[in-house]
Amino acid sequence: AEPFSEKLRVPEALTFDDVLLRPKESRVEPDDADTATRVSTSVELTVPVLSAAMDTVTESGLAIAMARRGGLGVLHRNMDIDEVVDEVERVKRADELIIREVVTASPDQTVRAVDEMMDEEGVSGAPVVDDDGEVLGIISGTDIRPYLEVGDRDEVREAMTDEVITAPQDVDARDALELMYEHKIERVPVVDTEDRLTGLVTMQGILQRREYDTAARDADGRLRVGVAVGPFEQDRAAAVDEVNADVLFIDCAHAHNRNVIDSARELAAGVEADVVVGNVGTREAAQELVEFADGIKVGIGPGSICTTRVVTGSGMPQITAVAQVADVASQHDIPVIADGGIRYSGDAIKAIAAGADAVMLGSYFAGTDEAPGRVVTMNGKRYKQYRGMGSVGAMQSGGGDRYLKDADEDEDFVPEGVEAATPYKGSVESELFQLVGGMKSGMGYVGAGTIPEFKRRAEFVRVSSAGQTEGHAHDVVITDEAPNYSPDS
Ligand code: XMP
């Protein structure tokens, strides 16, 4: 047998702080760098950034914000199947040209009741429909106000505009705008051939879509969304696939596991959506996944709230993990996602240099308004709750099988994550702007105008601990916090 001491001839594995990108001659201005990429074989993004499938990070609120700005949110799986289906539908509906869940009024309602209803629902007008759904008119604030002030009758049928301009089911944005222009109106009910209401197009909706011109959208123009699914959760996979989730993320802390791989392969074969499988961190694992996965997610223990490495003694420093997986995945043209441990935009672009096509972040987004965690104040500073999916709290809420633990044994968890807090950051928009802006500047330093070119061109240098210290702000007292740098993160 081989002497045990041979085990100590160990290969080196590196992470973000161990390396820097070597600057190169460049003709690329950061603003011109194109960050378009793929997260899976058939899903493209304009921004190579994903928000983590964690119950303090991604629900529909953040998923909508991410997709509108060209990235992708991955819904967590600490919720029932019905809830996650609802959440997917919420994202899919968010920027739809034709609103399908229309607030309607009935002709016999009082004007006052409709006024209150519109207020509650946050809409400024409503189609008036009879019991069969046929459109009889449309009522808006402008119709209602005089009736409330001086009118002596109080029925919607009196107050509504009864010459309604409607659009057919296949209306597109241009047709709708023309109708609005021609008739000086702001909303057009969409009807079937029997004049029954099937949807509504609004001017506000059209303008909103235009504002997000680099959004991640599916073939029908709806926002894209990812969904985390347990390796053995065929029902959840089928349910979210049915409502057009774009990418399923088979979510497991250690996907290089026989049962996980067998089940994931079966699950992937049964759904329409692309299926990304993870997490892994070695060549051998990647070799197995390229056979059936549409994307591979990398990260064994790099996360800010992860304790996998200290609890289990196992893990793989992230830059090496990404490079090993990318070696294999790139030969099969399968995208790689670097998941966890990214604190700064520099880390994100290093992950891409190491072979990733996109990056996934948890803590970076957990402090934003769009994330679901609670805001707490400690020592006069605001934070948001952020916890590992392998923390006791998150596992008690249902996520135990990510760690291949039985979700029913609620008392005897061996956690692999902590429950924590992260500084409150306000809207995700500025966070994403800083992250992507820093990544583009990184592309500029390497002289690469696109992500594929950057991946080819980027080279690393090794950094000593003295070099790391030199790289951070040092020997000064920071007086004004920068929007993209905090020394203690
Ligand atoms: P960051 O560093 O962005 O990492 O906050 C987010 C990623 O961490 C993973 N994750 C965990 N890993 N124990 C772990 O070992 C946990 O409790 C845990 N929760 C999340 C996950 O891959 C996530 O995307």
Side-chain angles (χ1 to χ4, degrees):
E2 206 181 332
F4 284 101
S5 57
E6 279 301 308
K7 289 189 206 287
L8 298 180
R9 292 183 195 280
V10 286
E12 186 173 59
L14 303 175
T15 190
F16 301 105
D17 281 346
D18 295 319
V19 292
L20 277 170
L21 296 168
R22 188 165 171 275
K24 291 189 155 184
E25 187 199 15
S26 178
R27 292 166 196 274
V28 178
E29 308 310 329
D31 281 348
D32 300 332
D34 177 357
T35 54
T37 194
R38 288 184 313 165
V39 297
S40 57
T41 43
S42 59
V43 174
E44 290 174 6
L45 301 176
T46 56
V47 158
V49 180
L50 284 69
S51 64
M54 300 173 71
D55 63 5
T56 47
V57 182
T58 311
E59 290 182 354
S60 55
L62 186 58
I64 290 168
M66 293 293 295
R68 280 182 175 160
R69 290 166 183 84
L72 187 76
V74 183
L75 300 171
H76 70 83
R77 61 189 180 91
N78 265 4
M79 49 184 145
D80 297 340
I81 294 180
D82 291 350
E83 283 173 74
V84 74
V85 163
D86 256 13
E87 289 279 287
V88 171
E89 288 182 324
R90 225 166 265 167
V91 180
K92 288 288 166 191
R93 278 201 308 265
D95 280 359
E96 244 183 349
L97 174 67
I98 301 176
I99 300 163
R100 295 295 174 184
E101 290 202 354
V102 186
V103 177
T104 59
S106 101
D108 316 319
Q109 259 179 307
T110 65
V111 170
R112 202 166 295 279
V114 170
D115 187 47
E116 279 168 17
M117 173 189 77
M118 294 199 322
D119 221 35
E120 247 165 56
E121 302 280 350
V123 298
S124 56
V128 181
V129 297
D130 67 14
D131 292 344
D132 297 330
E134 193 181 320
V135 180
L136 307 176
I138 192 157
I139 189 158
S140 73
T142 331
D143 302 318
I144 287 175
R145 214 102 310 126
Y147 273 77
L148 290 181
E149 296 300 327
V150 294
D152 52 4
R153 282 157 304 182
D154 194 31
E155 266 188 10
V156 166
R157 88 168 69 245
E158 304 287 340
M160 72 186 189
T161 303
D162 51 12
E163 281 184 17
V164 219
I165 308 299
T166 58
Q169 309 234 62
D170 59 354
V171 65
D172 63 19
R174 169 155 280 284
D175 300 342
L177 275 175
E178 264 166 27
L179 282 174
M180 290 175 188
Y181 173 71
E182 207 173 302
H183 300 279
K184 302 185 170 54
I185 49 177
E186 292 214 330
R187 52 183 79 73
V188 180
V190 177
V191 294
D192 63 14
T193 48
E194 267 129 60
D195 263 350
R196 281 182 307 233
L197 184 76
T198 61
L200 182 74
V201 180
T202 68
M203 177 70 94
Q204 198 196 358
I206 292 177
L207 295 180
Q208 184 153 312
R209 275 164 65 93
R210 193 170 292 170
E211 188 184 334
Y212 302 115
D213 56 346
T214 58
R217 297 189 190 280
D218 64 20
D220 293 327
R222 297 168 301 191
L223 295 176
R224 289 208 187 268
V225 63
V227 182
V229 170
F232 310 106
E233 288 187 307
Q234 314 278 351
D235 292 353
R236 183 179 298 259
V240 296
D241 191 45
E242 183 70 33
V243 291
N244 303 306
D246 298 276
V247 192
L248 307 192
F249 287 74
I250 305 229
D251 178 50
C252 181
H254 180 38
H256 196 188
N257 167 296
R258 276 273 54 91
N259 292 330
V260 169
I261 290 176
D262 293 345
S263 179
R265 182 197 304 268
E266 202 180 307
L267 195 153
V271 294
E272 192 89 353
D274 273 5
V275 174
V276 171
V277 186
N279 280 12
V280 294
T282 62
R283 263 189 204 93
E284 309 86 85
Q287 207 73 60
E288 301 238 15
L289 299 187
V290 288
E291 284 178 24
F292 66 95
D294 302 304
I296 302 181
K297 194 150 67 71
V298 181
I300 308 289
S304 59
I305 34 51
C306 295
T307 54
T308 292
R309 293 183 191 169
V310 285
V311 170
T312 71
S314 186
M316 189 68 150
Q318 185 71 339
I319 286 285
T320 295
V322 169
Q324 288 210 358
V325 171
D327 276 350
V328 178
S330 62
Q331 283 175 2
H332 296 80
D333 201 28
I334 291 175
V336 171
I337 298 157
D339 171 21
I342 292 169
R343 305 147 302 171
Y344 301 109
S345 46
D347 296 342
I349 198 69
K350 286 177 194 174
I352 293 192
D357 296 273
V359 292
M360 176 179 264
L361 299 89
S363 74
Y364 191 87
F365 292 124
T368 63
D369 289 328
E370 290 80 354
R374 189 160 48 84
V375 179
V376 291
T377 306
M378 292 186 292
N379 300 326
K381 225 183 139 192
R382 286 196 290 173
Y383 295 83
K384 274 189 94 157
Q385 180 201 17
Y386 178 47
R387 66 181 185 187
M389 292 301 277
S391 66
V392 172
M395 287 206 284
Q396 276 168 348
S397 312
D401 68 336
R402 182 171 198 271
Y403 297 85
L404 304 172
K405 310 229 165 110
D406 190 340
D408 297 331
E409 299 170 20
D410 52 8
E411 274 142 43
D412 293 335
F413 284 126
V414 179
E416 287 179 31
V418 296
E419 300 182 61
T422 181
Y424 169 70
K425 292 176 164 173
S427 160
V428 72
E429 186 170 1
S430 58
E431 287 307 302
L432 204 52
F433 173 80
Q434 291 298 335
L435 181 66
V436 178
M439 293 172 79
K440 286 174 153 195
S441 297
M443 293 168 73
Y445 276 92
V446 170
T450 66
I451 296 281
E453 188 189 358
F454 176 79
K455 285 169 64 176
R456 282 194 302 275
R457 216 172 134 83
E459 285 172 20
F460 286 115
V461 292
R462 180 70 200 270
V463 183
S464 67
S465 70
Q468 282 168 28
T469 311
E470 184 183 64
H472 279 268
H474 57 85
D475 301 303
V476 292
V477 179
I478 293 178
T479 53
D480 296 281
E481 226 170 86
N484 56 357
Y485 178 73
S486 116
D488 54 354
S489 70

